[in-house]
Structure formats: structure tokens, C-alpha cells
């Protein structure tokens, strides 16, 4: 008998006589709030993770972006970003080793979650392959105000599980040494989130 | 390679040895108190927390009571997404599958993201036997691995090491296995993390094969989820060409929507954060992005034994947040190693007997007694596992199993005494006064030496731990960890 048949047989035997209907009550949701409050909460919660949060209009964005990027750093951006970043290289399948030579990356996002201060990338247009927002040490992420939702269940509803997803809440961190929080182990050590008025 | 827990002394002995290790006790007390406070703060922020716990428990329970259907669905969706699904009945089968895939790609190393399932099956050791080095990439796991040591806490496995020890480990060992630590390495946590970043980046950039676990596996969509902090998980899940994920069959979540309560419960319960820095989800292969060959190994290794226990089944709901460890008075004092398993603390005290089987050895049978039944673990558990209820149930099974014994099992008797002593402070004071008597009881039970060659302390571990250093027995000739290294986790020491 294959391992598969054996395991499934053991599962069946273990549950003989057990009612297979496990009712799941609906998960609680946070009360609906004013969209402006939602964006404020999002910005506060992102900042709590020691990420840099800025807010601006679409017109101000290019200037803010230029100011946020580390001076002299090589910058990579995802195809379809929709904002011009002077001097930036558009990713066209760079290798990890090549990406290691870049100091910063600019991407868009799919969803912002206010309650938890999380941005979620689904690696669609403007966000790029997972690797580009992972290797460079500084990640600038653009979130539109109309992308901000209240809480995790709202994000889950919007997100397509068929796509790879990266949920980001602050810069990479560890508390493995005597529980001292250290920002940045392997992921980007600096995270800038620019919230753009939609 | 890190050691395994094979041959670990039973809980009472190991606990007494650990209690003599003041560094370990100090670090653990600090760690558990800090994480406890953080958790309490972020949990208080969620008004519907109790409701959320009920939903989280219901999601996991619904998967367990109809596990066959959900496993088959998971297999189907994963396969449709381009993943290759393997089934492993036990540790040896799982290890053989991973080794075969790695060998098929001609590699002599793999990068790994922290996974309790792979620790449970001893994957690193099994791969080493095949000439394949498995590099742990989680900072704490790296410390444990380079220190040739064992993890002591689910969440912060190197909590028994302080910064000076970590610096020594990095300076001594990094160069032997890759990029050496910088000459001027200080014991600043940021400096140490920086050294780990450089050491591991070299490995990430050249790795062809990665091994991970998964926090959740969504049956409906064929999606695996890894929750982490450092970004080493993202590195392993993104950079290599081949990804192998070893997933316990209890990790199944029936629906995509079912992830919601769990992703809200886990980070707050675990690290005391509103959300952990990184969560990655992937559904098989994504053309042009990430690993183009994806394997999923579905692992039983005793889980169906636990599933068959009507009272104990709920332990399989565990999402490994470690909240129960941090509130446990027994765990705080004896540390993770004393449980002799990759699953320590209150959850370990039930999961190990359930998965390995009551009566399988003295170590396992002593675990249900490693508790005072104070109930704190149930109160913090995000998926409402009634650990005290399962402990009581398992104790009766241990007792039933030993009914025919001519004399009571030493471990059982000793642990009953310990558990009793932990229940409240008044009893502890009594226990302290009665300790010489307890010592006589313990020595009548025939324990002549402890790990490390120390004579029995002649005191209840609870008593000496709670009444500060003055009462501690004379320092052992050899520390617990030194004993551990010398005897290769007890395997090299004859115990009767
Ligand atoms: S038993 Fe509950 S509290 Fe303990 S680790 Fe598992 S989920 Fe967390």
C-alpha cells in the first residue's frame, strides 16, 4: 500500500463515528469607519513598525519619491509602475546577483490594511516579481488611499490566492538576540511607504 | 548539525538539571515576561478577541473532523497549480523524499527556513547522512545550528544564549561553513544580525534548492502560507529553483476565507505584534516568478494517532504561536530542553504523548505531569486548546498503562509531586520545608545521578526555583549544556 493510502486509511479510521460537519461562525469585523480615518489609522500603524510614512498627492509624488530614495543609489522599478523615476532600471528579469547591486526598489502595492499597518503585494503590474522587492536594502512602496481597507478579512476578500502574495508589516526584523528588536536581517532594512491621494 | 532529542532524560531529571542552569533560567524568565506583556497589550486592542478565538478554533476543528476530504482537495488543487504532492507516513519516509529530490538536482546543500516539522523529523541529520548540508537561515536557528545545540523555545529558539555567547559562536564557527564573521564583531545585536545577513546572503544567492514548512495549507485554493519576521523565509521561497515544503497534515485550512481569523490570531499571540513583518503565500508554480519546481510533502508521523484520540484531537489545532509556553510557570523555570522534544511547554506536554503514543517511553509518559494544571495555557491559546483537560486525560492513560507495574513508575510519582508543588505559593512554602522529606522520597525512587554526573539534589525542583539562589544546590560539576554536548544529548551516557 502506498503512503498516501495508508495515511488516508488512518485518517478514516481515526475519525470513524465523528461528525464531519464543523460549523464555522462568521469572523468578527471591525466597525465600518470613515475612509479618511481609515487612511489615518493605516499611516499610524505603518509608522508604528518604524517604517517611514509619507503622504502626498499624485502631483507631488515624483518629487517625494526622488527625496525618499537614497542619494546615489541604483534603483530598480517594476514594469508598469506608472511614475517616472529618473535613472531607474525597469526590471526585465534581472538575476538575484544583479539585483544585489541595487540599493533601492520602488513598487506599487495591491492592498493596505489599516488595522495592522500591512501592505500586500500581489506582484501584478507596478509591483514586479517577488525578488525585486526582496534583495535591495531599501524598499519604497506606493499605496493609493483607495487601496486601504479596514482589516484582514477585507484584504482576504480582495486578494487572489492564485497569485503569489507578500504581506509586509514594517521592515525585516528579528528579536532573536535577547529579545532586542533589530531592524533588517534579510529583507530590506528600510521601508518607506508613500500614501498617495487617489 | 544540530543535535536531536533522542535519548533525552525524562522530564523530572532534565528539569532538575535545567533548574541548576542560572543563565538559562534568567534568559527564559526575561523572555517569557517580555513576550507575555507584548501579547497582552496587542490582544487588549481587539475588542472581539474572544469571538475571534472561537472562530479560529472552529476553522481548525472543521478541517480536522473532515480531514480526508480536505487533504484530497488540497492534493488536487496543489497538483492543478503545478506542485508535486508527496505523502510521508513517518519521518524516515519524509526525509527520504526530500533527500531524493535534492540528490536529483545534484546539490550538496539546501537552504532552510525554520520549520518545526523538519526539526521533528530530523531532516538536517538525515540529509547530512546523504552528504547534503542543510543551512538554517533563521537567525535563532543559525545560532542553534552553529552552536551545535538544540532549540529551547518555539519562537525564540536561541533564548538560552546571551549576546556574548552568540558572538563567540559566530566568531568560532561561521568561517568553517562559509563567510566568516567580521574581525571586529561586537556583541551588539545589530552587529550580530549584520554578520548573519552577510553570512547567509552568500548562501541564498547560490542556493538551488530550498526546504520550508508551512503555517497553513489552504485546501480550496492549493495555497501554502509561511509567516515570518526576518525575510529569510522570503529568500528561501523566492530565490532557489526548487522548493520543497514539508507540511503536517494538520496544517490544512479548508477555505481561503478561513485564513482570516488565523492570520489575525497568530501574530498577536506569538510575537505580540499586530502583524508579523512578512507573510508569504504561494499556490504552486508562478511562471517567471520564484521556484519553477515546487514540491509539497504531506506528513503524518503520528498525527493520525493524535487524531484518533477524541479528547486529544484538539491539540492538532495548534498554530505554534508559543503563547502557552510564555505563561507556563513550569516552562519558565525549566526551559524548553527539559521536555526532550522539538515541541516544548504545555503544548509539548500533550502533543508528544499524543503523537508518539502513551507508553512509548518514560520520557513521553512523564510529560503529562510537567504541569500544575493552572489553566493559563488554555486562556491564552488562540485556538482554545484545553490543554489542562488533555493533560488530565493523558495522565489517566499513563496510569492505566502502568497499572500492572509492580512499583509505581518513578517519573510519574516524581512529577505528580512536582505538579502539586507548583499549584500555589502556600504549597511551595510547605514543599520547601518538606524538601528533605521529598528528597528521601526521590532517592528511594532510585535516582542516583543526574545528567552531568551530579548527585540528586534532594529537593523538589519547584521549591528550589522559587526560593531564590540561596537555596540552590551546589553548582553541578558540569552545566546541563556542557553535559549535553559531551554526551551528544544523552546518547553517549549510559542511563539505567
Ligand atoms: S497550544 Fe495554543 S497557545 Fe500553545 S502554541 Fe499551540 S496555538 Fe499557541
Amino acid at each position: 500500500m502506498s503512503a498516501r493510502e495508508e495515511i488516508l486509511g488512518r485518517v478514516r479510521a481515526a475519525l470513524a463515528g465523528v461528525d464531519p460537519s464543523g460549523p464555522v461562525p462568521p469572523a468578527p469585523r471591525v466597525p465600518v469607519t470613515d475612509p479618511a480615518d481609515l487612511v489615518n489609522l493605516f499611516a499610524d500603524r505603518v509608522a508604528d513598525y518604524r517604517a517611514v510614512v509619507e503622504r502626498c498627492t499624485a502631483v507631488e509624488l515624483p518629487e517625494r519619491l526622488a527625496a525618499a530614495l537614497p542619494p546615489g543609489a541604483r534603483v530598480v522599478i517594476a514594469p508598469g509602475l506608472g511614475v517616472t523615476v529618473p535613472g531607474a532600471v525597469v526590471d526585465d528579469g534581472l538575476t538575484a546577483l544583479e539585483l544585489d547591486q541595487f540599493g533601492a526598489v520602488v513598487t506599487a502595492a495591491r492592498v493596505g490594511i489599516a488595522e495592522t499597518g500591512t501592505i500586500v503585494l500581489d506582484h501584478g503590474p507596478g509591483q514586479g516579481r517577488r525578488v525585486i522587492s526582496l534583495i535591495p536594502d531599501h524598499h519604497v512602496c506606493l499605496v493609493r488611499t483607495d487601496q486601504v481597507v479596514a482589516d484582514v478579512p477585507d484584504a482576504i476578500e480582495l486578494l487572489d490566492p492564485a497569485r503569489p502574495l507578500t504581506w509586509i508589516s514594517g521592515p525585516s526584523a528579528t528579536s532573536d538576540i535577547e529579545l532586542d528588536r533589530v531592524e533588517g536581517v534579510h529583507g530590506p532594512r528600510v521601508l518607506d511607504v508613500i500614501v498617495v491621494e487617489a | 548539525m544540530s543535535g536531536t532529542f533522542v535519548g533525552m532524560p525524562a522530564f523530572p531529571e532534565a528539569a532538575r538539571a535545567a533548574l541548576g542552569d542560572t543563565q538559562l533560567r534568567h534568559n527564559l524568565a526575561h523572555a517569557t515576561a517580555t513576550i507575555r506583556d507584548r501579547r497582552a497589550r496587542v490582544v487588549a486592542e481587539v475588542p472581539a478577541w474572544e469571538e475571534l478565538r472561537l472562530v479560529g478554533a472552529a476553522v481548525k476543528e472543521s478541517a480536522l473532523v473532515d480531514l480526508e476530504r480536505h487533504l484530497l482537495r488540497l492534493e488536487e488543487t496543489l497538483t492543478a497549480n503545478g506542485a508535486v504532492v508527496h505523502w510521508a507516513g513517518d519521518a524516515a519516509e519524509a526525509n527520504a523524499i526530500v533527500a531524493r529530490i535534492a540528490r536529483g538536482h545534484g546539490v550538496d546543500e539546501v537552504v532552510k527556513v525554520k520549520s518545526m516539522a523538519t526539526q521533528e523529523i530530523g531532516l538536517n541529520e538525515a540529509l547530512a547522512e546523504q552528504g547534503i548540508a542543510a543551512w538554517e537561515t533563521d537567525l535563532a536557528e543559525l545560532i542553534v545550528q552553529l552552536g551545535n545545540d538544540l532549540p529551547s523555545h518555539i519562537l525564540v529558539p536561541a533564548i538560552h544564549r546571551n549576546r556574548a555567547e552568540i558572538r563567540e559562536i559566530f566568531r568560532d564557527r561561521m568561517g568553517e561553513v562559509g563567510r566568516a564573521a567580521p574581525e571586529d564583531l561586537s556583541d551588539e545585536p545589530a552587529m550580530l544580525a549584520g554578520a548573519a545577513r552577510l553570512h547567509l546572503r552568500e548562501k541564498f544567492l547560490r542556493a538551488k534548492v530550498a526546504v520550508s514548512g508551512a503555517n497553513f495549507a489552504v485546501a480550496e485554493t492549493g495555497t501554502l502560507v509561511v509567516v515570518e519576521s526576518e525575510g529569510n523565509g522570503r529568500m528561501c521561497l523566492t530565490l532557489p529553483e526548487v522548493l520543497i515544503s514539508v507540511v503536517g497534515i494538520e496544517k490544512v485550512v479548508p477555505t481561503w476565507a478561513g485564513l482570516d481569523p488565523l492570520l489575525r490570531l497568530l501574530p498577536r499571540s506569538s510575537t505580540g505584534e499586530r502583524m508579523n513583518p512578512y507573510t508569504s503565500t504561494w499556490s504552486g508554480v508562478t511562471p517567471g516568478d520564484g521556484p519553477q519546481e515546487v514540491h509539497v510533502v504531506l506528513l503524518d508521523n503520528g498525527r493520525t494517532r493524535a487524531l484518533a484520540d477524541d479528547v486529544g484531537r484538539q491539540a492538532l489545532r495548534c498554530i505554534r504561536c508559543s503563547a502557552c509556553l510564555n505563561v507556563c510557570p513550569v516552562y519558565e523555570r525549566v526551559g524548553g530542553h527539559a521536555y526532550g522534544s522539538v515541541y516544548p511547554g504545555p503544548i509539548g506536554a500533550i502533543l508528544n504523548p499524543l503523537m508518539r503514543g502513551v507508553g512509548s517511553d518514560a520520557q513521553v509518559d512523564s510529560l503529562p505531569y510537567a504541569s500544575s494544571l493552572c489553566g493559563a495555557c488554555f486562556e491564552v491559546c488562540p485556538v482554545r486548546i484545553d490543554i489542562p483537560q488533555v493533560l488530565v486525560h493523558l495522565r489517566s492513560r499513563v496510569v492505566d498503562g502502568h497499572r500492572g507495574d509492580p512499583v509505581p513508575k518513578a517519573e510519574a510519582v516524581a512529577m505528580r509531586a512536582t505538579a502539586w508543588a507548583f499549584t500555589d505559593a502556600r504549597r511551595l512554602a510547605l514543599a520547601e520545608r518538606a524538601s528533605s522529606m521529598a528528597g528521601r522520597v526521590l532517592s528511594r525512587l532510585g535516582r542516583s545521578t543526574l545528567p552531568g554526573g551530579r548527585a540528586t539534589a534532594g529537593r523538589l525542583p519547584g521549591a528550589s526555583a522559587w526560593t531564590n539562589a540561596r537555596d540552590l544546590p551546589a553548582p553541578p560539576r558540569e552545566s546541563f549544556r556542557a553535559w549535553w554536548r559531551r554526551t551528544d544529548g544523552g546518547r553517549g551516557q549510559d542511563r539505567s
Side-chain angles (χ1 to χ4, degrees):
Chain A
M1 206 171 14
S2 72
R4 178 181 184 275
E5 298 316 312
E6 264 179 47
I7 294 169
L8 291 172
R10 287 201 290 260
V11 168
R12 217 171 301 137
L15 294 172
V18 173
D19 179 1
S21 65
V24 179
R29 308 285 279 247
V30 292
V32 183
T33 38
D34 185 304
D37 290 346
L38 221 53
V39 175
N40 289 337
L41 179 64
F42 173 71
D44 285 354
R45 293 276 158 100
V46 173
D48 264 4
Y49 294 119
R50 300 189 216 173
V52 181
V53 184
E54 287 197 73
R55 299 180 64 167
C56 69
T57 63
V59 178
E60 294 164 337
L61 180 59
E63 201 183 312
R64 289 297 183 95
L65 200 48
L69 289 166
R74 291 186 69 202
V75 180
V76 59
I77 62 172
L81 184 65
V83 193
T84 35
V85 184
V89 173
V90 179
D91 171 52
D92 59 353
L94 295 164
T95 66
L97 277 171
E98 285 165 343
L99 280 164
D100 205 22
Q101 306 306 312
F102 285 83
V105 56
V106 183
T107 73
R110 175 67 186 85
V111 178
I113 306 174
E115 196 63 33
T116 59
T118 302
I119 46 182
V120 186
L121 274 58
D122 73 0
H123 304 283
Q127 300 164 57
R129 299 178 302 140
R130 282 176 280 176
V131 67
I132 71 163
S133 43
L134 177 59
I135 306 256
D137 208 8
H138 188 143
H139 181 191
V140 181
C141 189
L142 315 179
V143 182
R144 287 197 323 269
T145 49
D146 63 358
Q147 290 182 309
V148 176
V149 299
D151 201 357
V152 173
D154 310 282
I156 291 274
E157 268 167 28
L158 281 176
L159 293 164
D160 176 4
R163 307 193 61 89
L165 303 176
T166 307
W167 299 46
I168 300 173
S169 307
S172 150
T174 184
S175 299
D176 280 346
I177 302 167
E178 297 181 11
L179 290 181
D180 266 12
R181 188 180 162 98
V182 175
E183 256 89 59
V185 191
H186 304 297
R189 286 187 273 198
V190 183
L191 174 68
D192 279 336
V193 177
I194 303 184
V195 183
V196 188
E197 219 63 60
Chain B
M1 296 296 107
S2 355
T4 59
F5 290 95
V6 178
M8 183 79 191
F11 186 82
E13 291 170 67
R16 261 176 290 161
L19 281 165
D21 188 332
T22 40
Q23 176 74 59
L24 173 65
R25 276 195 308 156
H26 171 82
N27 290 2
L28 269 172
H30 169 63
T32 52
T34 308
I35 306 177
R36 226 167 28 226
D37 292 349
R38 280 188 206 155
R39 178 200 163 272
R41 226 175 307 133
V42 294
V43 163
E45 229 176 63
V46 183
W49 183 255
E50 289 309 315
E51 225 180 311
L52 204 55
R53 284 176 78 209
L54 283 167
V55 181
V59 166
K60 291 290 292 189
E61 191 67 21
S62 72
L64 294 172
V65 293
D66 201 5
L67 191 57
E68 184 183 8
R69 189 167 68 88
H70 295 305
L71 285 173
L72 289 171
R73 180 92 175 108
L74 178 67
E75 178 185 47
E76 184 188 316
T77 51
L78 280 170
T79 309
N81 294 338
V84 183
V85 177
H86 310 260
W87 299 76
D90 58 23
E93 283 179 17
N95 290 333
I97 292 166
V98 178
R100 195 176 63 230
I101 298 167
R103 266 205 323 267
H105 288 276
V107 297
D108 59 6
E109 62 175 10
V110 300
V111 285
K112 274 191 71 200
V113 51
K114 175 182 164 177
S115 140
M116 303 202 58
T118 57
Q119 179 97 41
E120 169 194 325
I121 61 177
L123 178 66
N124 293 5
E125 294 75 9
L127 289 177
E129 276 168 27
Q130 310 257 354
I132 300 166
W135 304 118
E136 293 293 353
T137 62
D138 194 85
L139 180 54
E141 298 288 342
L142 176 74
I143 296 166
V144 167
Q145 185 176 50
L146 291 178
N148 197 18
D149 203 349
L150 286 164
S152 54
H153 189 288
I154 294 180
L155 186 65
V156 272
I159 199 62
H160 57 291
R161 295 289 199 187
N162 63 26
R163 58 184 74 188
E165 288 178 298
I166 294 168
R167 182 178 73 149
E168 286 317 300
I169 291 169
F170 280 9
R171 283 221 305 222
D172 291 353
R173 298 274 293 125
M174 270 184 175
E176 291 170 28
V177 293
R179 181 170 174 150
E183 276 300 312
D184 58 347
L185 185 68
S186 78
D187 62 6
E188 272 305 300
M191 264 285 253
L192 296 169
R197 178 184 173 94
L198 290 173
H199 177 79
L200 287 171
R201 184 151 292 211
E202 180 188 83
K203 292 191 162 45
F204 288 132
L205 291 176
R206 69 165 188 239
K208 272 174 114 171
V209 178
V211 177
S212 82
N215 293 85
F216 308 107
V218 183
E220 177 186 50
T221 57
T223 308
L224 298 192
V225 182
V226 163
V227 171
E228 54 136 352
S229 294
E230 295 172 11
N232 60 310
R234 291 176 70 191
M235 291 278 177
C236 289
L237 303 173
T238 310
L239 295 183
E241 294 157 26
V242 181
L243 172 61
I244 310 166
S245 304
V246 180
V247 183
I249 55 174
E250 86 286 13
K251 298 289 179 194
V252 178
V253 172
T255 65
W256 177 246
L259 276 184
D260 158 43
L262 301 171
L263 287 179
R264 280 195 271 172
L265 287 162
L266 178 55
R268 288 185 202 256
S269 300
S270 177
T271 44
E273 294 168 298
R274 296 188 182 110
M275 192 57 84
N276 48 289
Y278 300 129
T279 296
S280 300
T281 79
W282 72 102
S283 299
V285 174
T286 305
D289 186 351
Q292 297 299 297
E293 185 180 323
V294 170
H295 297 267
V296 179
V297 183
L298 296 174
L299 173 73
D300 180 351
N301 203 34
R303 285 158 179 77
T304 50
R305 180 182 279 128
L307 191 70
D309 187 316
D310 282 328
V311 180
R313 180 179 307 131
Q314 56 184 312
L316 296 176
R317 299 205 293 250
C318 176
I319 56 175
R320 314 276 189 262
C321 72
S322 74
C324 59
L325 277 64
N326 299 325
V327 296
C328 179
V330 178
Y331 175 81
E332 181 172 310
R333 278 154 193 86
V334 303
H337 292 156
Y339 293 81
S341 157
V342 29
Y343 304 109
I347 182 61
I350 60 174
L351 205 52
N352 293 302
L354 285 165
M355 283 177 30
R356 281 145 70 178
V358 166
S360 59
D361 63 41
Q363 168 67 30
V364 164
D365 280 5
S366 68
L367 287 177
Y369 296 95
S371 163
S372 65
L373 301 179
C374 73
C377 47
F378 170 62
E379 271 163 49
V380 296
C381 178
V383 287
R384 296 178 56 91
I385 300 170
D386 192 341
I387 296 176
Q389 183 203 13
V390 181
L391 283 167
V392 170
H393 163 73
L394 290 171
R395 285 181 190 184
S396 71
R397 287 189 44 199
V398 170
V399 171
D400 286 350
H402 289 299
R403 242 186 242 307
D405 294 357
V407 285
K409 263 279 189 271
E411 283 78 12
V413 174
M415 279 323 294
R416 249 175 260 143
T418 315
W420 179 82
F422 268 114
T423 47
D424 69 35
R426 193 180 47 82
R427 280 195 198 155
L428 277 167
L430 285 174
E432 187 194 0
R433 252 177 279 140
S435 64
S436 59
M437 189 185 80
R440 283 199 297 277
V441 174
L442 287 170
S443 53
R444 255 215 327 274
L445 294 170
R447 297 262 157 257
S448 55
T449 54
L450 286 171
R454 187 158 51 127
T456 25
R459 274 193 187 83
L460 285 177
S464 52
W466 281 46
T467 53
N468 85 37
R470 281 192 313 263
D471 287 339
L472 281 175
R477 286 205 307 268
E478 185 178 28
S479 80
F480 179 55
R481 270 177 282 125
W483 165 82
W484 184 267
R485 277 193 296 274
R486 179 174 62 75
T487 61
D488 194 16
R491 274 169 294 191
Q493 177 167 307
D494 187 32
R495 296 178 44 242
S496 52

